Amino acid sequence: MTDFHDLHTMWSDPDVVRHISCVPSSEQECWFRLLRYRGLWDLLGYGYWCVRTKADGRYVGDVGFADWKRDIEPSLDAAPEAGWVLARWAHGKGFATEALQAALAWMDGRGVDRTVCIIAPEHATSCRVAEKCGYFLKGSACFRAEQTLLLQRKRDDR
């Protein structure tokens, strides 16, 4: 509950959602998102974390995994789908890579063999984050009548 205001501020920022939905989220949509985030943990045993700075607790964004049951071709085959979104002030500071690496280490520790993510082809920054975290291009997919990149990562057994 204490994260709701920050979550709403981030998801209602047109710059933040430019490569995700292109439409800023309303307060109600953000509330539904928070409820979905919470429900993922109970239903799947994984979900999204709120990311905050260690120094002062400032809200950075959300990172985690879901099975959104997307109507996407080809199918994601129920593989956990990684996602990350950061507040505008946090863009370009390395937070996404650090948070995603920590989330992936957590998922690797649970024995999940592979995760996937989808990224808009023009979103070069997210593509770089995914690559730094071990994702590779599996192909393209059609989602919401648009072509998107489908990336995959195998568990790190080091």
Side-chain angles (χ1 to χ4, degrees):
M1 291 293 299
T2 57
D3 299 325
F4 178 70
H5 174 75
D6 292 325
L7 181 141
H8 177 245
T9 299
M10 178 182 70
W11 280 98
S12 63
D13 182 335
D15 191 51
V16 169
V17 300
R18 180 172 36 128
H19 297 295
I20 301 170
S21 66
C22 300
V23 179
S25 295
S26 69
E27 185 175 41
Q28 181 182 40
E29 290 164 334
C30 290
W31 177 246
F32 290 166
R33 177 174 283 109
L34 184 62
L35 294 175
R36 286 191 306 267
Y37 282 176
R38 177 64 183 104
L40 288 167
W41 288 98
D42 290 337
L43 293 173
L44 302 176
Y46 57 83
Y48 274 72
W49 290 273
C50 168
V51 179
R52 293 189 176 275
T53 60
K54 285 183 183 179
D56 60 5
R58 187 173 185 190
Y59 182 83
V60 173
D62 306 326
V63 65
F65 304 94
D67 179 354
W68 298 122
K69 304 288 184 208
R70 292 192 191 276
D71 183 15
I72 191 169
E73 190 58 42
S75 167
L76 302 180
D77 297 324
E81 179 185 340
W84 56 94
V85 60
L86 274 62
R88 185 184 331 183
W89 75 267
H91 291 182
K93 295 180 177 12
F95 288 116
T97 301
E98 183 180 355
L100 183 58
Q101 286 172 338
L104 287 164
W106 181 89
M107 191 63 97
D108 288 347
R110 274 133 192 88
V112 175
D113 289 328
R114 75 182 185 99
T115 59
V116 296
C117 65
I118 59 172
I119 302 174
E122 65 276 6
H123 198 353
T125 303
S126 275
C127 289
R128 281 192 302 279
V129 168
E131 183 180 349
K132 287 182 206 175
C133 292
Y135 283 92
F136 61 89
L137 184 63
K138 185 175 180 193
S140 65
C142 185
F143 179 60
R144 295 182 182 153
E146 305 241 348
Q147 285 302 116
T148 189
L149 302 176
L150 173 56
L151 296 97
Q152 177 175 286
R153 178 188 176 274
K154 305 265 179 157
R155 181 176 69 221
D156 186 355
D157 288 323
R158 284 182 264 157

